[in-house]
Amino acid sequence: MKFVARCVSLVVIGMVAIMLSGGAAMAQEKMTMEDYNLQLADWQKREADAKAAIATTDAEIATLRQQISSTDQQASQTWQEVYGMLGTDEAGVASFRSQLDGLSAELDALAALSPEELYKRRAEIDGIEKRLMEMKGNKISWLTEMEDRMATLEGKIAQLRANMPKAIYDEYTVVRGDYLWRISGKQDIYSDPYAWYRLYSYNRDSIKDPDLIYPNQSLKVQREVGPDEYLVAKGDYLAKIAGNSAVYGDPTKWARIYEANKDLQGSDANRIYPYTVLRIPR
Amino acid sequence: MMQSARKIVSWVAVCAVVSSMSLIGCTKHPNEKQLQTLEETKQAALAAEAQLEQKRQEKATLESQLAQKKAQLEKAQAEKAKIAQKLGM
């Protein structure tokens, strides 16, 4: 009986050993032929599908390239026709654009100035505006791009004008013993006693009688002639002033100046003196 | 009694060995060459798929370019119509 038990034990141990070694072998090579065939077929199908899709996409790409080229040519041809209608060509439009860029750069430079500096150089703004108006007479300005650019420039000009002070003046406080002749003769005022009329006419709203000014009275000392003002020089008369391009550029409009300055001139339109600050109604 | 027991044990042992062998040995596995073929096929498929992705991206870029060109053409045509109107043509 002992022998039988030993034999059975040996057989069982043997079987277990064989099963274990077989299991280990299976763990090393998991893939069966069936799995292999399935995977191989799957990868082959993926490769074939991808290659077919590449061929289709290549054809689509070729068509797209052709369409892009054709659309590009059509657009170019249409622009040439537009330029022809305007009596210009691509170079003419480029030159116009470049001129606008130049004006824009000039306006940007002016925008970087202090308000006082800008005030002194306001004639440059007028010049730029004039050139812009001249450019509007060119048919190239009909192009939408140019319209947009010109509108931007007009906006910049308006912004500069809005930022510009309406007048540049210093304040002077009258002290005991002052009179206009004396004040205007001071070195930090006008260094010229004859310029007292400039002081008076510029402050005529607060000085009723040029012989009557009071201590602590505040006077404005005009430093720059504003856009709505005119400083009379020797030899000036109203028609001449009205004819000045910075005023109206039209001598026949002298009466407008006279009406606005009647408080100084009284009933005589010819009565104007050097150093008078005239108001120019716009 | 002893003899029959020995026979039984011998048969059991033989059966056990045979069944174990058949359990392991009957399953077929791909050989090394087949595995290499599978790997090569896999790499080729992945490469083709990557190339396809590149082509699709290129196509998308070109579609976007075409849309831009069409918009430019429409702009030019609108400009032409506007100028013609201004000129009273």
Side-chain angles (χ1 to χ4, degrees):
Chain A
M1 273 310 271
K2 273 185 181 176
F3 172 76
V4 173
R6 275 182 191 165
C7 285
V8 168
S9 306
L10 278 171
V11 166
V12 169
I13 289 164
M15 281 176 70
V16 168
I18 289 165
M19 293 289 281
L20 283 173
S21 66
M26 282 173 79
Q28 277 177 356
E29 288 182 45
K30 280 180 187 171
M31 192 186 288
T32 63
M33 278 308 286
E34 195 176 82
D35 282 344
Y36 169 81
N37 287 328
L38 278 173
Q39 283 193 27
L40 186 65
D42 181 49
W43 286 117
Q44 282 170 339
K45 184 178 181 306
R46 281 175 68 169
E47 186 184 2
D49 288 349
K51 282 183 173 170
I54 286 170
T56 308
T57 313
D58 274 341
E60 288 168 346
I61 284 171
T63 307
L64 280 169
R65 286 191 194 284
Q66 207 174 10
Q67 286 176 333
I68 287 170
S69 172
S70 162
T71 311
D72 209 22
Q73 276 177 1
Q74 273 180 275
S76 179
Q77 176 66 31
T78 309
W79 279 117
Q80 294 308 319
E81 287 167 11
V82 170
Y83 298 154
M85 289 159 80
L86 295 172
T88 186
D89 54 14
E90 208 166 339
V93 173
S95 166
F96 193 89
R97 190 183 292 118
S98 168
Q99 285 178 57
L100 288 179
D101 286 343
L103 293 184
S104 181
E106 285 182 49
L107 288 171
D108 289 343
L110 287 170
L113 297 174
S114 66
E116 289 75 16
E117 278 297 314
L118 184 63
Y119 189 83
K120 286 177 191 170
R121 293 173 62 178
R122 62 185 182 279
E124 289 179 41
I125 302 175
D126 296 338
I128 292 170
E129 194 168 28
K130 194 179 165 195
R131 277 148 66 197
L132 192 59
M133 292 307 290
E134 284 167 4
M135 289 180 80
K136 276 190 171 180
N138 190 323
K139 282 182 187 170
I140 299 174
S141 69
W142 294 356
L143 291 170
T144 305
E145 178 204 344
M146 302 309 168
E147 282 176 346
D148 293 346
R149 281 170 175 262
M150 291 177 124
T152 304
L153 292 183
E154 282 170 344
K156 282 184 179 181
I157 289 171
Q159 189 66 44
L160 281 177
R161 290 201 195 286
N163 290 343
M164 195 160 57
K166 296 294 172 209
I168 300 262
Y169 58 83
D170 290 333
E171 297 274 355
Y172 176 82
T173 305
V174 176
V175 296
R176 188 176 288 275
D178 269 347
Y179 41 95
L180 292 180
W181 176 276
R182 183 178 176 191
I183 296 168
S184 64
K186 288 186 177 182
Q187 210 169 11
D188 56 342
I189 306 295
Y190 294 131
S191 302
D192 179 3
Y194 291 97
W196 73 270
Y197 206 74
R198 186 176 182 184
L199 266 181
Y200 167 60
S201 55
Y202 196 62
N203 290 276
R204 60 198 197 240
D205 289 337
S206 61
I207 303 174
K208 298 301 168 200
D209 181 345
D211 292 327
L212 281 177
I213 55 171
Y214 304 96
N216 295 324
Q217 186 176 354
S218 183
L219 298 180
K220 291 174 184 171
V221 180
Q222 188 192 35
R223 291 301 182 196
E224 292 290 332
V225 180
D228 300 336
E229 297 163 345
Y230 184 84
L231 181 62
V232 177
K234 199 175 260 186
D236 274 345
Y237 48 93
L238 289 185
K240 183 182 174 188
I241 295 167
N244 188 313
S245 61
V247 181
Y248 298 133
D250 180 0
T252 63
K253 290 185 177 172
W254 65 269
R256 288 183 70 188
I257 305 174
Y258 172 62
E259 286 298 326
N261 296 277
K262 246 182 181 174
D263 55 337
L264 279 177
Q265 293 183 265
S267 57
D268 187 357
N270 293 316
R271 189 180 152 222
I272 59 167
Y273 304 106
Y275 295 115
T276 305
V277 178
L278 292 175
R279 290 172 182 158
I280 307 294
R282 298 288 178 185
Chain B
M1 178 71 185
M2 200 60 179
Q3 267 185 347
S4 63
R6 277 182 183 174
K7 272 184 184 172
I8 290 165
V9 168
S10 303
W11 276 110
V12 166
V14 168
C15 285
V17 169
V18 167
S19 63
S20 299
M21 294 298 282
S22 66
L23 197 73
I24 299 153
C26 280
T27 312
K28 278 190 179 177
H29 300 288
N31 59 32
E32 217 164 279
K33 197 178 174 187
Q34 286 171 319
L35 285 173
Q36 194 183 342
T37 305
L38 178 65
E39 183 60 26
E40 284 169 2
T41 310
K42 178 184 172 184
Q43 291 308 323
L46 290 174
E49 283 175 351
Q51 195 187 356
L52 175 61
E53 185 53 36
Q54 278 184 350
K55 296 278 180 191
R56 282 183 175 153
Q57 282 176 6
E58 187 182 350
K59 184 187 157 192
T61 307
L62 290 171
E63 280 172 341
S64 167
Q65 273 182 25
L66 179 61
Q68 281 179 4
K69 295 286 177 191
K70 280 183 176 171
Q72 286 172 4
L73 175 60
E74 279 174 24
K75 191 180 164 189
Q77 286 168 338
E79 200 74 35
K80 189 180 167 186
K82 178 184 152 187
I83 300 297
Q85 194 183 11
K86 280 203 169 192
L87 288 168
M89 292 167 80

